[in-house]
Amino acid sequence: EPEVTQTPSHQVTQMGQEVILRCVPISNHLYFYWYRQILGQKVEFLVSFYNNEISEKSEIFDDQFSVERPDGSNFTLKIRSTKLEDSAMYFCASSRGEMNTEAFFGQGTRLTVV
Amino acid sequence: AQTVTQSQPEMSVQEAETVTLSCTYDTSESNYYLFWYKQPPSRQMILVIRQEAYKQQNATENRFSVNFQKAAKSFSLKISDSQLGDTAMYFCAFIAGGTSYGKLTFGQGTILTVHP
């Protein structure tokens, strides 16, 4: 069964460093998403991406964040200058985009900023 | 803006028994979809069940069923014949119709523990 894959599973980075989280969505999906889950809290929407551009973003998704689909298969989330409060589990998801399809989630990348 | 509220931070149940997890939501949308996601210790988010708001019939998926009360904006999940593998965090989620399925609004989650 096709699945969304994320790498790495765990990333430790120093405060102020740039980090790139990678995702390979399901191949025939058209919409891509990043969500964040701070430990013990709810899952929060960050950004949606369609047709090579951001279609929607939340207040959390400020100028420190960016997304791109560099090669038609990978979908990346970049955090330019990490802060301690960026420590969280980051989930990538994808969907076909039609009304009756669901979002499939990856297994997540745990980001720890020290 | 939509909100989703799960008022039970933790629940426990004995194996083979039935448990119900509560969820309420608030929206001004008339067309929307509701979901229950399961997050086991592996942390992956797994879709358990989906309900379209325009359907009056409650969704069922094997041992999982929902009680969808649209007027009350309530969407509870019933797990019958609970199994040890059902131990997980359960999230209720909402998405407005007319948008892609991915932009979900999640509740705070309920930790369910199934005891042998």
Side-chain angles (χ1 to χ4, degrees):
Chain A
E1 187 173 327
E3 59 181 20
V4 176
T5 57
Q6 291 184 242
T7 54
S9 56
H10 190 193
Q11 173 94 42
V12 181
T13 189
Q14 290 207 325
M15 192 169 54
Q17 294 296 305
E18 176 182 286
V19 66
I20 297 175
L21 309 183
R22 302 181 192 278
C23 169
V24 179
I26 295 173
S27 61
N28 62 347
H29 285 188
L30 302 177
Y31 284 80
F32 314 110
Y33 313 87
W34 284 101
Y35 285 81
R36 181 182 80 174
Q37 184 183 28
I38 295 172
L39 187 63
Q41 298 187 23
K42 67 169 70 177
V43 178
E44 301 172 292
F45 170 78
L46 290 178
V47 66
S48 61
F49 190 86
Y50 171 71
N51 200 26
N52 285 319
E53 60 182 21
I54 291 173
S55 50
E56 195 162 359
K57 60 183 181 179
S58 71
E59 294 171 352
I60 303 167
F61 195 87
D62 61 22
D63 291 344
Q64 292 297 313
F65 292 89
S66 63
V67 290
E68 64 175 0
R69 196 150 189 255
D71 56 12
S73 60
N74 290 286
F75 178 52
T76 62
L77 174 69
K78 182 194 291 185
I79 309 175
R80 260 181 273 283
S81 177
T82 50
K83 304 186 284 285
L84 294 176
E85 53 265 38
D86 293 327
S87 295
M89 181 73 90
Y90 288 82
F91 291 100
C92 174
S94 70
S95 69
R96 287 208 304 267
E98 298 139 6
M99 284 307 297
N100 291 320
T101 58
E102 66 182 84
F104 289 81
F105 283 79
Q107 74 276 33
T109 292
R110 182 180 298 282
L111 177 65
T112 303
V113 182
V114 297
Chain B
Q2 286 75 230
T3 60
V4 178
T5 302
Q6 294 177 248
S7 58
Q8 305 154 315
E10 294 186 46
M11 295 279 285
S12 64
V13 65
Q14 292 295 126
E15 197 175 6
E17 293 188 346
T18 295
V19 64
T20 299
L21 309 183
S22 301
C23 172
T24 59
Y25 60 94
D26 190 24
T27 184
S28 57
E29 301 280 345
S30 58
N31 182 27
Y32 52 87
Y33 302 80
L34 295 160
F35 307 84
W36 279 97
Y37 277 88
K38 170 184 177 181
Q39 187 182 41
S42 65
R43 304 291 285 180
Q44 184 154 13
M45 300 285 287
I46 302 165
L47 179 66
V48 174
I49 198 165
R50 163 177 64 208
Q51 174 79 43
E52 292 88 344
Y54 62 86
K55 288 187 178 178
Q56 292 189 337
Q57 187 174 8
N58 289 325
T60 62
E61 284 288 339
N62 301 313
R63 298 183 294 108
F64 299 89
S65 62
V66 299
N67 183 6
F68 174 47
Q69 301 289 325
K70 191 171 184 178
K73 295 181 179 172
S74 168
F75 182 62
S76 60
L77 174 69
K78 185 171 84 170
I79 306 174
S80 303
D81 186 25
S82 297
Q83 299 175 0
L84 296 178
D86 295 333
T87 292
M89 174 83 91
Y90 286 81
F91 290 98
C92 179
F94 171 103
I95 190 166
T99 64
S100 164
Y101 255 56
K103 184 178 179 264
L104 295 151
T105 299
F106 286 88
Q108 305 92 319
T110 297
I111 299 172
L112 175 68
T113 304
V114 181
H115 297 286

